[in-house]
Amino acid sequence: MLFMREPGELLRAGLAGEMLAPGEQLVWDGRFEITTERVAVIAPLAGHAAQLPPAQRAALRAIPARARAALPVVLDGAAVACPLLEEAPGLTIRSLVRERLLAACGVVVRER
């Protein structure tokens, strides 16, 4: 069984890129908690997939096309990286999906 998120907010209102300072935390699209130890710009993958390194573009093919656009990427000057496909130095990403799905199903009464 595959659970995917439609592009959601990306299509409705557009997800803007967000700059994070060292030590800041961001919940991206309600699904990922991102913490950084360096200055980082987090943006949606839409429009940046072709700039990913070849190994990340290859790994991206395993994710259904409709689920890709709103994935977070790190924009670092001319470099682009998807922290879900490969570890990004100084960046921690944690999925909130399982916890939020359990909460929506009534299994979890209160999130952390």
Side-chain angles (χ1 to χ4, degrees), residues 25-111:
Q25 191 175 72
L26 166 72
V27 174
W28 179 260
D29 196 27
R31 301 177 293 156
F32 303 104
E33 179 184 87
I34 301 171
T35 308
T36 183
E37 297 171 8
R38 60 186 175 94
V39 173
V41 175
I42 311 298
L45 178 63
H48 298 288
Q51 299 168 328
L52 290 172
Q56 288 190 21
R57 284 196 312 269
L60 195 59
R61 290 187 205 111
I63 298 172
R66 293 199 36 93
R68 296 177 195 161
L71 292 176
V73 293
V74 179
L75 306 178
D76 192 6
V80 176
C82 184
L84 296 172
L85 302 174
E86 184 177 285
E87 189 174 319
L91 196 83
T92 304
I93 187 164
R94 183 173 76 89
S95 175
L96 302 174
V97 174
R98 183 178 187 280
E99 293 173 22
R100 293 193 169 181
L101 177 62
L102 291 174
C105 294
V107 175
V108 174
V109 179
R110 184 178 357 182
E111 291 183 272

